[in-house]
Amino acid sequence: MEVKRLALTSLHEGLGAKMVNFGGFLMPVQYKNGIIHEHKVVRSSVGVFDVSHMGEVVVSGENAFDFVQKITVNDVSKLVNGQVQYSAMCYENGGIVDDLLVYKMAENKFFLVINAGNRDKDISWMKQHLPKNVDFQDVGDDYTLLAVQGRNAEKTIQKLTETNLSKINYYFFVEGKIAGMESIISRTGYTGEDGFELYFQTKHSQEVWDKLFEAGKEFGIEPIGLGARDSLRMEMKMALYGNDIDQTTNPVEAGLGWITKLDKSNFIGREALLKVKEEKPKRNLVAFVVDSKRVARQHTKIFANGVEIGEVTSGNYSPSLDKNIGIGFVKSEFSKVGTMLEVEIGANFYKAEVVKPPFYKRDY
Amino acid sequence: MSNIPENLNYTAEHEWIKIEGETGTAGITDFAQGELGDIVFVELPSIGKHVQAGKTFGTIEAIKAVSDLYAPVSGEIVEVNKVLAETPEMINSDPYGEGWIVKIKLSNVSELSNLLSAQKYSELINN
């Protein structure tokens, strides 16, 4: 498959970024100062992620609400205009098609943000279930998406807009102007910090990028790659599709019961998920800290009292804790906070303790 | 561009070694540390351990991935860089200096002819 280049790809290369194929897109994994440095920039001030590889879809028309309510597990009726909702799409058997953000633009108009690697799959899934009187537009190639994250994100962006950002609550958005360009300004993110995600037309990419860096200069703003994006989201135990969740996992066992509204009107996967909830999941996605300098990486086996009881789905070094942390599925009886487990790395076993997520909490 | 000092020898596994008499000081190359990214842990062998050329003798944990360390020559580990236990990132900042990893007492001098010159190593990583 050909790797796609996006509006800012050359800019990242010019900054000396290491580029990788992520979900079919050539994206920066880190810039010159490295992942730990970038991680700390976001935790202490402000950083900018180009995540334009994410997909976007607009559904509108008479049956748009019913459609989104049917294909997602969260309750869309709870959304007011200008609100964002974290949700997931499931198969009939409860397995996860993708996790996504649902933006309510108007009564019957929604903007859906999906994972880069799942764009084709998601779009064909949605189209399969599309009722009459819903207009469906794949606008993924029209938008540049910059995530500006960190305690100084608001101060940085406020310099570039007349929209009063302090009035935008967490998981709300407005349509406004950034550096003179029409943009969706959304108080969301994947880092555990305050921050915004800005969606705007690709042709303005360079200009908005430059203005952001000019505005953030006094705060030491830096570009951040996918490497730090991963370590930042892991410290929050935010799920990554393809690692922690996929078609073989369901939202109830994956700790996404809070977005799975089984009592709303019928939706795809509801029956299967009701059954999982009634029978209690056999395994759970837990957060743990490893007592070792070795990192328990994805697919590392997890044991309890010498018996294999699960597998690591994401593992990394946590710069905020200066410890190795992990997320993994374990048999439910071993999912309680404080449970001592072992992980097998190389020929050795190391202790790991189940902890209450998140690993990191911001102090402002 | 990666730094490849002329006075060192190299392996295809991206280790360098500096021979002084019967002892070689070894580490990983600038190219290797750049590819690995932030190094967070080095698992060092114990002193007195015998290592074999081309065989693993330790591991390096970087943020993104773990990789094995391969012995550039056969011999006995006579010293390890203890500083790396606390500051493994020294390998990133100074791979040929403060970030050296082990000193090996050579058991088979003829193996030295298997090592790559700076020029050959440069050709290897540029292909």
Side-chain angles (χ1 to χ4, degrees):
Chain A
M1 197 176 73
E2 203 186 322
V3 185
K4 270 175 98 171
R5 295 178 66 88
L6 299 170
L8 292 167
T9 308
S10 300
L11 182 142
H12 301 311
E13 289 168 339
L15 290 170
K18 263 185 217 169
M19 306 296 287
V20 292
N21 177 354
F22 187 88
F25 299 85
L26 191 63
M27 302 304 293
V29 65
Q30 65 165 82
Y31 298 83
K32 281 182 175 164
N33 293 324
I35 295 171
I36 295 175
H37 172 85
E38 290 171 22
H39 184 110
K40 289 178 177 171
V41 166
V42 175
R43 287 276 180 255
S44 63
S45 187
V46 56
V48 181
F49 306 72
D50 177 11
V51 281
S52 304
H53 54 321
M54 302 287 285
E56 293 91 9
V57 163
V58 178
V59 290
S60 57
E62 207 180 312
N63 292 324
F65 169 83
D66 292 338
F67 169 65
V68 180
Q69 189 73 319
K70 186 186 163 197
I71 60 158
T72 64
V73 301
N74 209 334
D75 189 354
V76 187
S77 74
K78 295 284 193 276
L79 282 176
V80 299
N81 290 345
Q83 195 172 7
V84 190
Q85 184 177 68
Y86 179 58
S87 192
M89 296 188 287
C90 285
Y91 294 105
E92 288 291 356
N93 70 4
I96 302 172
V97 180
D98 201 0
D99 60 338
L100 75 164
L101 290 180
V102 176
Y103 286 71
K104 185 170 181 178
M105 316 290 285
E107 273 321 301
N108 264 313
K109 187 178 179 191
F110 297 90
F111 182 80
L112 311 177
V113 183
I114 57 182
N115 281 303
N118 291 339
R119 278 167 69 165
D120 294 346
K121 176 186 82 174
D122 289 1
I123 286 165
S124 78
W125 174 257
M126 287 190 237
K127 282 184 172 170
Q128 268 178 53
H129 296 92
L130 205 62
K132 282 180 188 156
N133 299 323
V134 174
D135 181 58
F136 182 96
Q137 287 183 58
D138 172 7
V139 294
D141 292 339
D142 301 349
Y143 284 98
T144 283
L145 168 53
L146 297 181
V148 185
Q149 300 281 299
R151 65 188 72 212
N152 290 319
E154 183 182 318
K155 284 184 222 151
T156 300
I157 303 170
Q158 192 61 71
K159 293 186 190 176
L160 304 176
T161 182
E162 283 172 15
T163 299
N164 185 348
L165 298 179
S166 68
K167 293 266 165 67
I168 306 175
N169 288 326
Y170 187 54
Y171 267 70
F172 280 82
F173 70 96
V174 298
E175 292 175 84
K177 282 188 175 172
I178 298 288
M181 310 304 173
E182 295 292 342
S183 177
I184 294 173
I185 307 168
S186 167
R187 195 165 212 138
T188 46
Y190 196 47
T191 61
E193 298 297 329
D194 184 27
F196 293 84
E197 293 179 301
L198 310 173
Y199 303 79
F200 53 88
Q201 297 296 306
T202 53
K203 62 182 172 199
H204 304 310
S205 302
Q206 173 89 50
E207 188 165 356
V208 174
W209 177 278
D210 289 344
K211 291 269 168 62
L212 273 172
F213 279 81
E214 212 175 285
K217 199 175 172 195
E218 63 168 305
F219 307 115
I221 198 167
E222 288 191 38
I224 313 294
L226 295 182
R229 184 168 164 84
D230 191 52
S231 55
L232 289 159
R233 70 93 193 166
M234 262 203 71
E235 287 186 341
M236 300 308 294
K237 199 196 169 223
M238 289 171 169
L240 172 63
Y241 195 92
N243 275 39
D244 313 301
I245 53 173
D246 62 20
Q247 69 281 356
T248 69
T249 64
N250 67 63
V252 177
E253 64 186 9
L256 299 177
W258 63 280
I259 63 166
T260 309
K261 302 295 159 62
L262 296 166
D263 50 356
K264 75 166 185 174
S265 56
N266 200 18
F267 62 92
I268 301 171
R270 180 168 177 265
E271 271 180 44
L273 294 171
L274 265 175
K275 203 167 159 234
V276 173
K277 205 182 172 193
E278 273 167 24
E279 294 175 356
K280 295 266 167 72
K282 294 182 179 61
R283 57 178 189 170
N284 291 100
L285 194 65
V286 297
F288 57 87
V289 173
V290 185
D291 182 20
S292 165
K293 295 264 191 176
R294 296 292 307 272
V295 179
R297 297 185 188 275
Q298 192 180 19
H299 304 310
T300 297
K301 287 176 179 166
I302 305 175
F303 294 76
N305 310 316
V307 180
E308 189 179 334
I309 52 106
E311 193 179 287
V312 177
T313 55
S314 291
N316 212 331
Y317 168 74
S318 159
S320 303
L321 272 60
D322 188 25
K323 283 178 183 166
N324 287 318
I325 60 171
I327 302 172
F329 273 108
V330 296
K331 284 189 179 167
S332 301
E333 57 264 44
F334 301 102
S335 61
K336 254 182 72 181
V337 170
T339 305
M340 291 307 297
L341 306 169
E342 301 111 46
V343 288
E344 185 184 20
I345 308 171
N348 299 311
F349 288 85
Y350 300 95
K351 282 185 189 142
E353 183 179 356
V354 177
V355 297
K356 188 178 183 315
F359 295 99
Y360 164 88
K361 268 193 193 130
R362 69 190 205 218
D363 59 5
Y364 58 95
Chain B
M1 273 308 289
S2 295
N3 177 17
I4 308 172
E6 282 293 331
N7 61 332
L8 305 177
N9 287 106
Y10 299 88
T11 70
E13 283 81 33
H14 311 289
E15 272 89 27
W16 59 265
I17 185 163
K18 183 181 182 187
I19 308 292
E20 285 161 309
E22 291 186 329
T23 307
T25 304
I28 65 166
T29 65
D30 185 38
F31 174 77
Q33 72 76 21
E35 288 293 302
L36 284 169
D38 290 331
I39 292 166
V40 292
F41 175 59
V42 189
E43 190 174 58
L44 297 163
S46 43
I47 290 171
K49 186 186 161 113
H50 285 268
V51 296
Q52 254 194 311
K55 295 279 165 61
T56 67
F57 70 90
T59 40
I60 286 198
E61 288 276 1
I63 278 268
K64 285 180 293 181
V66 62
S67 50
D68 285 322
L69 284 166
Y70 295 93
V73 293
S74 302
E76 182 189 340
I77 302 289
V78 290
E79 207 178 326
V80 298
N81 187 0
K82 293 200 189 90
V83 171
L84 299 180
E86 287 306 313
T87 51
E89 63 272 20
M90 205 69 97
I91 297 175
N92 291 118
S93 56
D94 190 10
Y96 300 114
E98 298 291 316
W100 65 275
I101 298 172
V102 290
K103 292 190 179 177
I104 304 171
K105 189 175 175 206
L106 278 61
S107 61
N108 184 357
V109 179
S110 71
E111 283 173 357
L112 295 179
S113 59
N114 300 332
L115 298 170
L116 307 174
S117 66
Q119 194 195 334
K120 285 270 186 258
Y121 181 67
S122 167
E123 284 168 16
L124 178 88
I125 61 173
N126 289 318
N127 280 332

